[in-house]
Amino acid sequence: MSSPPIFDPAAIERLKATLGEEASILLPELIGEYLADLPNLVEQASTALDEQRTDDLRRLAHNMKSSSLTFGAMALAEAARLLELAAKEGTANPGLLAAVDAELPAARAALESAVEDLS
Amino acid sequence: MSDPTPKGRILIVDDEKLNRLLLSTNLKGSGYAVEEAVNGEDALEKVREQLFDIVLLDLIMPGIDGYEVLETMKSDSDLRHIPVIIVSAMDEMDSLVQCIELGATDYLFKPFDPVLLHARLNSSLSVKRLRDQEIAYTQQLEQQLELAGQAQRSMLPTMLPEPPGVSFAAIFEPARAVGGDFYDVFSLEGGKVGVLMADVSDKGMHAALFMGVSRALFARETAQSLDPVEVVTAVHLSLVGISSYSMFVTALYGILDPESRTFTFVRAGHDEPLLVRASGETKFMGGTGHALGMALGPPRFAAQTLTLDPGDSFIIYTDGVTDQKNPDREMFGRAQLEKRAISLRDQDADGLAQGIYHAVSAHRDGTDAFDDFTLLVMQAAK
């Protein structure tokens, strides 16, 4: 299976359709919040992994997957999905979390560029 | 300006703020009234406190998760009719199958497509509205049936006459809200007492209407004649005259003269009453007479007279007594009625009626009553 693209612009179109008139104000705010929150989620996931709290790890990975899919950060979402899947099976895999972390800069760059295009 | 009448009330259940915000912004913008729940506990509290047309439910939440919310709602008779649409990630397909099996109405993948969201909502709302109409209609019908039942019960006597030397006891238990049985015991001129029992063919509202008409006709005719044959014939001809509907009523009408303890009665197709002598001798009383209301040729009714000696009992009943089935589908039957009446014959009228009622209830042993239970005991003092 080919690896997913870093970013899917269709996600932004879907969000515009979802938010309607409020998209021009809300969408940049939401993307900003998402990007600001990502390092926190990775950090919390790292603590959960160290402490072998796989249920928490699973939920955090699930949140990252879900929000990344919402904003079209496809490669990051896929890395988070693999982490979630392992945690669901009771495995706390540091390599999978590192893979998530590695996707952050590219996702950030793509979404920041998308925000610029909005205005 | 927001629409004063929302398209529907929707509860969004998701622990992720982003998902709640996207859904609620979209739905509010489309004219829905929206409430949010941040987890399973919050969701269950809100569905119990407020009315919702649809619940949009996330599956993976800390604490009470979406499965448990769904399961709890579907096992609660007050909540199970609310459509639940599961909103979950596409890689949770197995979970979706489980949710549909648990009673979820539909599902939507995250990130959701707004066009698909509205298509799913419209479809679930139509189903919900039909269901709501059905519930309202059923409640209305039940209310009307209850009122009809009350009206019917008000046509039954609350107190039975207490002529010297003869006592009466009656037990009436309708099988449904409205029934087809009725009875009456009432004072006539010269200290005499009229005794009436009737059973309308079939059950339900049409039978109840026919019962009301029959009851009124008996009231009119018994006030005009002291001859049971005349009364029964007049009621029969009136029923034939006013109704072409293929219904009939079986009846037993008689007049008791307490002084001579004689009872003169007509059995119009009704179950054969049982005479139980103080000695233990018994007799089911036949006689000539057909059911009332069906034009099957000229009326043929004949009266018969019996004399009650001290301690004798006369038992009048409808087929709800003898035809009551047990769990093995065996009827209580006339033989058991006779046997019980013999063993209970030393009891007073009330004890005899109660004893037979308990015997039929024991025979029934929890199965549904198929018909109204009506039993009247007339007993001569010892």
Side-chain angles (χ1 to χ4, degrees):
Chain A
M1 204 176 99
S2 62
S3 55
I6 291 170
F7 175 63
D8 177 12
I12 302 299
E13 294 311 311
R14 190 175 54 230
L15 286 167
K16 280 184 187 168
T18 300
L19 295 168
E21 289 171 0
E22 301 189 52
S24 59
I25 299 162
L26 271 180
L27 196 46
E29 277 179 25
L30 291 175
I31 293 172
E33 277 176 32
Y34 161 70
L35 291 176
D37 205 28
L38 277 176
N40 299 336
L41 287 170
V42 171
E43 201 181 310
Q44 286 175 44
S46 174
T47 311
L49 190 137
D50 288 346
E51 293 170 7
Q52 295 289 309
R53 286 183 281 113
T54 48
D55 274 356
D56 288 341
L57 182 62
R58 178 192 172 193
R59 199 162 42 76
L60 289 160
H62 176 81
N63 285 3
M64 276 191 276
K65 176 193 77 178
S66 173
S67 54
S68 300
L69 283 172
T70 300
F71 292 108
M74 306 311 281
L76 177 53
E78 176 60 12
R81 187 185 73 83
L82 295 174
L83 179 65
E84 180 193 0
L85 195 63
K88 189 179 171 184
E89 284 158 7
T91 313
N93 187 329
L96 292 175
L97 180 58
V100 169
D101 199 33
E103 291 293 345
L104 292 192
R108 178 180 302 279
L111 275 159
E112 281 172 349
S113 157
V115 170
E116 273 175 34
D117 292 344
L118 286 174
S119 49
Chain B
M1 215 174 85
S2 65
D3 189 338
T5 49
K7 283 158 88 175
R9 283 184 55 78
I10 298 180
L11 178 66
I12 298 167
V13 187
D14 202 311
D15 61 322
E16 288 175 48
K17 188 179 147 202
L18 172 67
N19 293 331
R20 293 199 306 273
L21 184 129
L22 290 174
L23 282 168
S24 77
T25 306
N26 181 273
L27 295 176
K28 281 178 189 164
S30 307
Y32 289 98
V34 175
E35 189 75 36
E36 295 179 22
V38 298
N39 56 39
E41 286 89 342
D42 193 17
L44 288 175
E45 206 169 290
K46 287 192 163 117
V47 288
R48 284 183 178 126
E49 281 171 358
Q50 303 173 40
L51 294 172
F52 291 102
D53 294 309
I54 288 181
V55 173
L56 292 173
L57 182 64
D58 177 32
L59 286 181
I60 298 176
M61 293 184 287
I64 295 181
D65 62 14
Y67 304 101
E68 207 174 327
V69 171
L70 180 63
E71 227 167 348
T72 307
M73 284 182 68
K74 293 302 163 187
S75 58
D76 185 325
S77 58
D78 289 336
L79 305 175
R80 73 165 59 111
H81 66 283
I82 305 173
V84 176
I85 299 179
I86 303 295
V87 187
S88 86
M90 206 183 288
D91 57 4
E92 288 157 10
M93 196 65 195
D94 289 351
S95 324
L96 282 178
V97 173
Q98 192 188 339
C99 289
I100 299 290
E101 281 169 358
L102 280 173
T105 313
D106 213 336
Y107 61 90
L108 197 64
F109 287 132
K110 283 185 206 172
F112 67 89
D113 175 85
V115 176
L116 203 55
L117 167 69
H118 287 275
R120 298 279 210 257
L121 283 178
N122 287 337
S123 144
S124 289
L125 272 177
S126 321
V127 174
K128 167 77 165 44
R129 298 236 155 91
L130 274 177
R131 173 88 183 113
D132 285 352
Q133 279 174 8
E134 190 189 317
I135 291 173
Y137 182 65
T138 307
Q139 282 172 345
Q140 206 182 352
L141 264 184
E142 278 169 0
Q143 199 184 5
Q144 284 180 12
L145 273 177
E146 180 52 36
L147 288 173
Q150 282 174 22
Q152 268 202 315
R153 285 190 289 280
S154 75
M155 294 177 199
L156 299 175
T158 48
M159 296 264 290
L160 302 181
E162 293 175 358
V166 179
S167 54
F168 290 98
I171 295 178
F172 171 73
E173 193 172 78
R176 306 178 185 192
V178 292
D181 283 10
F182 64 98
Y183 74 97
D184 200 1
V185 184
F186 47 95
S187 298
L188 293 166
E189 61 189 66
K192 291 182 174 159
V193 177
V195 176
L196 169 67
M197 187 175 292
D199 181 358
V200 173
S201 61
D202 218 342
K203 300 166 189 72
M205 284 304 274
H206 62 304
L209 278 171
F210 203 71
M211 175 269 191
V213 171
S214 306
R215 181 80 189 79
L217 288 172
F218 266 108
R220 186 182 74 183
E221 300 304 332
T222 54
Q224 284 175 9
S225 170
L226 285 177
D227 176 353
V229 172
E230 269 181 27
V231 167
V232 166
T233 305
V235 170
H236 169 65
L237 291 175
S238 294
L239 283 173
V240 169
I242 61 175
S243 172
S244 58
Y245 202 59
S246 60
M247 290 194 72
F248 58 89
V249 53
T250 69
L252 187 148
Y253 177 62
I255 294 175
L256 171 76
D257 180 352
E259 216 170 295
S260 61
R261 288 176 170 175
T262 53
F263 185 60
T264 302
F265 68 97
V266 175
R267 188 182 72 87
H270 199 77
D271 297 84
E272 292 181 0
L274 177 63
L275 174 65
V276 187
R277 297 286 186 195
S279 62
E281 187 192 329
T282 59
K283 189 186 179 190
F284 282 101
M285 312 280 287
T288 303
H290 51 82
L292 313 178
M294 290 186 96
L296 302 166
R300 285 169 288 107
F301 300 110
Q304 49 189 322
T305 299
L306 62 91
T307 304
L308 290 174
D309 294 324
D312 288 353
S313 298
F314 192 58
I315 302 171
I316 310 170
Y317 56 91
T318 56
D319 56 4
V321 176
T322 45
D323 293 2
Q324 176 61 55
K325 292 188 173 101
N326 66 8
D328 295 330
R329 306 195 60 75
E330 294 158 344
M331 287 187 186
F332 184 72
R334 294 192 346 162
Q336 268 207 81
L337 172 66
E338 189 176 18
K339 202 175 112 192
R340 293 286 171 170
I342 293 170
S343 65
L344 291 160
R345 71 183 188 279
D346 290 336
Q347 304 264 330
D348 61 9
D350 202 42
L352 181 51
Q354 291 290 343
I356 293 170
Y357 174 75
H358 289 308
V360 175
S361 297
H363 176 81
R364 188 175 140 194
D365 193 18
T367 54
D368 284 341
F370 89 104
D371 205 351
D372 302 341
F373 180 105
T374 311
L375 178 76
L376 179 69
V377 173
M378 176 167 65
Q379 191 180 61
K382 290 185 180 98

